[in-house]
Amino acid sequence: MQRLARRHGNVFTLNIPIYGRVVVVGDPQLAKHVFTTSPDELGNIKPNLSRLFGSGSVFALDGDPHRRRRRLLAPPFHGKSMKNYETIIEQETLRETAGWPDGEAFATLPSMMHITLNAILRAVFGADGAELDELRRLIPPWVTLGSRLAALPKPERTPIRFGPWGRLAEYRRKYDVVIDKLIAIEKADPNFAERSDVLALLLRSTYDDGTVMSRKDIGDELLTLLAAGHETTASTLAWAFERITRHPDVLAALVEEADNGGSELRHATILEVQRARTVIDFAPRHVFPEVYELGEWVIPRGDSIIVHIGRIHENPDVFPDPERFDPQRFIGGKPSAFAWIPFGGGTRRCVGAAFANMEMDVVLRTILRNFTIETTTAPAAKWHCRGVAFTPKDGGRVIVHRR
Ligand code: HEM
């Protein structure tokens, strides 16, 4: 994509198997236009991750049903609810890093995956227990397989027992057994009405017309949150280690700040990691009206549009000297809502953006306070695509010492 953008500029059309004609948009002004278009005109690209999560996932919904679902999902991930989750994330970080080797190189990505999966599991279900252990075993290989299959042709009939699609169906069957148990446990809780976990909120909530979410939709949506909520955040954290170990000045300043109780540079560093090492490269849409006008372009119904996030993050007019890793560019100001877009934009903007940023902040703060991280002169890590998210190829290797 980067090569094509260099050759053809910020807007070009591709024919992609399964998706058909796709207009790739790497211009911040046009991205703003896309993100501010009514969801009745631009829906989610088809196919999308709802192939993995199910037809009840927010990824599958457009127009009104999407709006209604987003209203339902927003409160637990709203900025105000974040304080409640901080302790969980600190506990999970301390638990995971207790096993880190002293003075030996290791990849941070697997640890970050554990922390972020445990954090989102506890946020979603409110408690720990045997059922969560089962989900801890089930979800990582399922998401890995599902991410690889997300953009491949799906056979007409899903084989029941054989092949990768059959394996996905088997994961789902096991998952549904666990979710049934967890729903039964929640409903049996005498304090159910006061519970603030995401499952309780979904079970208690009603749409404007008084109807409730179906059992299948709840299962699909919980899976969406668990899958969308952990790999992306873990990948960004692994990149954070990759970046700060290669920038000793930034690392030293981060340690000093964490020791003194500050947070401004850490927040800016997280923004800069997300800009310079964007883990989800696209925000995709599907054109509903007969024609959709985007600047000088006219895009017919049925085509797709992909906002090329990585390209926009490298735009030198918005981010001078974009190759330079420089958290200072985010000190003292908010990033532009249409040029700094790791979470996409508009009505489909990531539900978990505030949660992810809070989580990355707490994980980094906890690690900086408890470990000394060695710097390295190794060249920048190569990019690796896991299917949906990009990670550092070496998994964000570090050498640490307990403080
Ligand atoms: C650093 C971490 C994360 C990144 C980079 C990320 C990125 C994204 C992006 C690019 C989109 C598409 C937005 C668009 O089309 O405009 C998205 C959607 C979504 N994300 Fe995230 N995400 C992250 C963390 C999370 C977390 C923690 C959760 C859940 C708690 C989550 C749940 C979702 C959901 C449900 C959607 C679909 C929204 C919709 O279609 O309305 N994400 N995310």
Side-chain angles (χ1 to χ4, degrees):
M1 286 293 191
Q2 294 292 9
R3 264 204 303 275
L4 287 170
R6 257 173 250 133
R7 195 181 323 151
H8 301 292
N10 279 341
V11 184
F12 56 90
T13 303
L14 286 178
N15 264 308
I16 306 183
I18 312 178
Y19 293 95
R21 213 163 42 195
V22 176
V23 179
V24 180
V25 176
D27 173 90
Q29 283 313 316
L30 298 181
K32 178 175 178 178
H33 191 113
V34 170
F35 288 146
T36 50
T37 298
S38 156
D40 299 320
E41 283 191 64
L42 294 180
N44 202 2
I45 198 169
K46 315 252 172 318
N48 57 54
L49 284 172
S50 61
R51 272 171 143 199
L52 169 63
F53 304 145
S55 57
S57 158
V58 67
F59 278 92
L61 307 177
D62 288 315
D64 247 356
H66 179 257
R67 235 173 261 136
R68 294 198 303 158
R69 180 64 59 78
R70 287 286 305 225
R71 269 205 291 277
L72 219 149
L73 284 180
F77 295 108
H78 201 270
K80 282 189 219 131
S81 312
M82 289 307 114
K83 261 281 168 254
N84 304 337
Y85 300 125
E86 281 197 15
T87 320
I88 294 181
I89 289 160
E90 191 170 344
Q91 283 170 357
E92 290 300 335
T93 309
L94 290 171
R95 179 155 72 153
E96 177 64 29
T97 56
W100 276 8
D102 212 292
E104 257 174 61
F106 65 97
T108 50
L109 183 62
S111 273
M112 296 305 118
M113 292 276 196
H114 293 158
I115 294 170
T116 57
L117 180 59
N118 286 340
I120 189 76
L121 278 169
R122 288 179 63 187
V124 164
F125 297 108
D128 222 334
E131 285 73 26
L132 294 205
D133 285 341
E134 178 67 17
L135 291 178
R136 263 178 214 118
R137 276 191 296 275
L138 209 57
I139 286 176
W142 185 8
V143 172
T144 303
L145 178 65
S147 305
R148 292 198 185 122
L149 295 180
L152 290 181
K154 190 174 180 182
E156 285 284 298
R157 278 186 34 223
T158 308
I160 303 301
R161 274 185 298 156
F162 304 108
W165 296 96
R167 285 219 306 284
L168 283 189
E170 181 57 16
Y171 282 129
R172 177 69 196 218
R173 201 191 52 71
K174 290 187 179 156
Y175 166 81
D176 275 327
V177 173
V178 184
I179 294 298
D180 279 338
K181 278 194 212 155
L182 285 163
I183 291 179
I185 293 170
E186 291 245 349
K187 285 187 166 167
D189 182 350
N191 298 320
F192 174 65
E194 284 86 51
R195 287 183 71 128
S196 61
D197 53 275
V198 178
L199 175 56
L201 293 171
L202 293 186
L203 287 169
R204 285 202 308 263
S205 59
T206 49
Y207 293 114
D208 292 344
D209 61 4
T211 55
V212 294
M213 273 176 88
S214 69
R215 158 65 186 84
K216 179 183 174 301
D217 284 3
I218 288 183
D220 290 357
E221 207 61 282
L222 293 178
L223 176 60
T224 304
L225 296 174
L226 298 177
H230 89 277
E231 188 174 305
T232 42
T233 318
S235 306
T236 311
L237 279 165
W239 277 120
F241 290 109
E242 191 273 351
R243 291 288 77 199
I244 60 177
T245 48
R246 284 160 175 80
H247 293 84
D249 298 356
V250 176
L251 178 56
L254 284 170
V255 172
E256 195 187 330
E257 183 190 68
D259 287 351
N260 293 326
S263 61
E264 189 184 22
L265 178 64
R266 195 167 59 248
H267 291 168
T269 304
I270 291 168
L271 299 181
E272 176 66 346
V273 170
Q274 290 180 281
R275 182 199 68 81
R277 293 297 184 273
T278 304
V279 299
I280 304 286
D281 209 13
F282 305 117
R285 300 290 184 269
H286 178 88
V287 175
F288 288 134
E290 205 171 321
V291 288
Y292 173 69
E293 288 187 26
L294 179 62
E296 61 185 299
W297 315 95
V298 177
I299 306 172
R301 179 192 324 220
D303 278 17
S304 300
I305 298 173
I306 276 178
V307 175
H308 190 182
I309 303 176
R311 172 82 178 163
I312 293 174
H313 285 171
E314 288 182 353
N315 188 317
D317 297 335
V318 193
F319 302 108
D321 197 2
E323 289 296 311
R324 203 179 69 229
F325 178 75
D326 180 13
Q328 291 298 327
R329 61 173 102 233
F330 292 113
I331 297 273
K334 273 193 158 187
S336 148
F338 296 105
W340 183 87
I341 47 169
F343 296 110
T347 50
R348 298 207 89 93
R349 186 173 189 266
C350 177
V351 174
F355 184 90
N357 275 352
M358 172 277 302
E359 179 168 23
M360 293 188 284
D361 182 49
V362 175
V363 172
L364 280 180
R365 184 185 68 200
T366 311
I367 291 171
L368 289 167
R369 282 185 184 162
N370 287 281
F371 293 91
T372 308
I373 304 172
E374 283 189 16
T375 56
T376 173
T377 52
K382 291 205 161 65
W383 296 68
H384 168 71
C385 181
R386 284 175 58 91
V388 178
F390 285 96
T391 61
K393 192 158 188 207
D394 67 356
R397 285 177 86 73
V398 293
I399 298 175
V400 298
H401 304 277
R402 268 187 183 73
R403 291 181 74 183

